[in-house]
Amino acid sequence: MPERRTVALVTLGCARNEVDSEELAGRLEADGWELVLDAEEADVAVVNTCGFVDAAKKDSVDALLEANDLKNHGRTQAVVAVGCMAERYGKELAEALPEADGVLGFDDYADISDRLQTILNGGIHASHTPRDRRKLLPISPAERQESAADVALPGHAPADLPDGLAPASGPRAPLRRRLDGNPVASVKLASGCDRRCTFCAIPSFRGSFISRRPSDVLNETRWLAEQGVKEVMLVSENNTSYGKDLGDIRLLESLLPELAEVDGIERVRVSYLQPAEMRPGLIDVLTSTPKIAPYFDLSFQHSAPGVLRAMRRFGDTDRFLELLDTIRGKAPQAGARSNFIVGFPGESESDLAELERFLNSARLDAIGVFGYSDEDGTEAAGYDNKLPEDVVADRLARVSRLAEELVSQRAEERVGETVQVLVESVDGEDGAHGRGAHQAPETDGQVLLTSGEGLAVGRMVEAKVVGTEGVDLVAEPLLGSFMGGDEEGR
């Protein structure tokens, strides 16, 4: 009888990392590893790191150190780093953090079982040397699909696999294993990015943009529905570019209605849209297709023209407001959210005032604000006109206060609206928590339902908004409005 091998996956960062962790889990389970939730109960703790900004890197290092402590009083024998921070820094991270028994890059994912077994046996797998992953695929998007088989693309495992590889039954099972019973799951639409924003290092370690084939996205969504998932969120570094390497930049407009028709799926959400790439046809599909959330996660980053040009981005306050007006003209209750960077090199007081003008007029449901900091290997890190750290910190605090006030005001505007709420937790008769169509997981607040009677996780229910708590809504379920879901709960 084979020796019992246990592994736990600790995931940090974005929804894309969550998909990658579930692919790793699928690969490991297919090779006989037993997945456990608690790292203390695992022979190997795999930490899927985030390498986006300094705060995320610190969280990743802290998680690795915390897992390493388990080796002193738990079952854990090895701690392994994977994910963006591991890919981005490789040997440098291994040398700076000897507590990690292994630092594995994306190229190791296909052989993750062998890598972990080697480390568990006391062997050493050499940490990889980071490279610019943009150079792994052809410059021309039209030529990339032919080369994709030779490049590691986490989260792109096909949905029809050879016998014995798939971790679940059925021909549509992807190389993926769900790590929780959440009724929401993310699906990779694409990977990488072709934009060259001067503040962002992601393309260097995630690579050039490449789409997944629609059949793989559809089949994975069908499989997730069979696992009880009610909402899928399409994720990538830039969803508006989907299909450009497949010969059809409007491919998302035709894929979304197909996803909405998958049996069992109640809502489809699209994340991370580039304002400069928004198309009238895409806006029409997002605002008029049943089961497609009228949700716009728009990457504005700033609104002052000079700052945007220094970022190598496009647009300005008035054009952004016009885009939002167009969206709300088609779907008045549409959700809109964005992130912004303050304190970018060269940002003047008038630039900051222009951003505040935009925020005051945009009526965004959720706002993320970040203070600028240099990122290794980015163009902006070499700019001369940096602002003092205390000025960046003051501007961050100032805009964050404004953002908090504005999203609370936007929530108050929704009092009286009827919202479709996907129930995600039930507290008995005392109430339940869920999210409306304008709220993505983790980032955009939630709906607090005043009664949980008759509700179950995964249930879609109509509710009337009767109050707010900051960015969160308080809503009363409407009688007879239950629209599907798991009768027994989870």
Side-chain angles (χ1 to χ4, degrees), residues 9 18-30 33-37 167-168 174-180 220 223-224 227:
L9 288 117
E18 293 172 6
V19 176
D20 295 350
S21 284
E22 293 198 348
E23 181 185 305
L24 290 173
R27 291 183 181 277
L28 290 166
E29 187 173 70
W33 290 78
E34 180 182 338
L35 299 166
V36 296
L37 294 177
L175 192 56
R176 178 172 181 173
R177 199 271 202 184
R178 300 233 52 213
L179 294 174
D180 59 39
E220 186 164 338
W223 178 80
L224 287 168
Q227 310 305 304

Side-chain angles (χ1 to χ4, degrees), residues 74-352:
R75 178 188 176 100
T76 309
Q77 301 174 53
V79 175
V80 176
V82 298
C84 290
M85 189 175 182
E87 173 63 36
R88 185 176 180 184
Y89 295 104
K91 290 181 177 180
E92 183 182 344
L93 177 61
E95 292 170 359
L97 199 69
E99 290 86 353
D101 299 288
V103 175
L104 306 181
F106 297 151
D107 293 335
D108 292 306
Y109 282 20
D111 300 308
I112 188 68
S113 178
D114 290 342
R115 301 288 187 263
L116 296 192
Q117 189 63 60
T118 295
I119 294 168
L120 185 59
N121 291 343
I124 297 174
H125 179 72
S127 301
H128 78 107
T129 300
R131 53 181 172 167
D132 188 341
R133 298 191 72 86
R134 291 172 293 192
K135 298 178 180 179
L136 301 182
L137 290 168
I139 294 175
S140 170
E143 299 175 3
R144 290 177 188 166
Q145 290 290 328
E146 293 181 5
S147 305
D150 300 323
V151 177
L153 296 169
H156 281 234
D160 293 301
L161 300 163
D163 291 342
L165 260 186
S169 61
R172 294 196 305 268
L175 192 56
R176 178 172 181 173
R177 199 271 202 184
R178 300 233 52 213
L179 294 174
D180 59 39
N182 196 307
V184 183
S186 296
V187 175
K188 279 272 185 86
L189 192 63
S191 287
C193 186
D194 288 340
R195 303 184 72 89
R196 294 295 179 262
C197 301
T198 58
F199 56 84
C200 183
I202 290 176
S204 66
F205 58 86
R206 278 289 183 178
S208 297
F209 183 89
I210 185 164
S211 305
R212 291 184 76 193
R213 294 196 172 275
S215 57
D216 287 339
V217 178
L218 272 165
N219 285 338
E220 186 164 338
T221 300
R222 292 183 183 117
W223 178 80
L224 287 168
E226 291 173 356
Q227 310 305 304
V229 168
K230 299 301 176 184
E231 177 180 325
V232 293
M233 184 166 72
L234 302 180
V235 299
S236 76
E237 280 73 23
N238 178 9
N239 281 328
T240 31
S241 283
Y242 180 69
K244 73 175 186 179
D245 53 320
L246 294 171
D248 185 1
I249 191 61
R250 293 177 294 276
L251 194 56
L252 184 56
E253 286 95 305
S254 59
L255 175 61
L256 285 172
E258 292 186 73
L259 291 170
E261 292 176 359
V262 172
D263 288 342
I265 295 299
E266 298 291 339
R267 187 155 66 201
V268 178
R269 183 183 305 277
V270 184
S271 68
Y272 210 87
L273 302 166
Q274 285 289 346
E277 297 180 29
M278 289 299 295
R279 305 175 291 277
L282 180 56
I283 294 173
D284 287 344
V285 170
L286 288 170
T287 55
S288 65
T289 308
K291 294 190 178 181
I292 301 297
Y295 174 79
F296 293 82
D297 176 13
L298 295 160
S299 176
F300 290 124
Q301 301 299 345
H302 212 283
S303 73
V307 176
L308 287 168
R309 302 307 172 267
M311 292 177 170
R312 294 197 188 281
R313 297 181 65 82
F314 306 94
D316 55 47
T317 294
D318 293 334
R319 276 188 276 184
F320 291 163
L321 291 176
E322 183 180 350
L323 172 60
L324 291 169
D325 285 345
T326 298
I327 290 167
R328 291 175 177 136
K330 295 176 180 295
Q333 292 188 0
R337 62 108 53 224
S338 192
N339 292 326
F340 300 88
I341 298 173
V342 297
F344 192 80
E347 181 190 62
S348 65
E349 277 289 343
S350 62
D351 291 330
L352 192 66

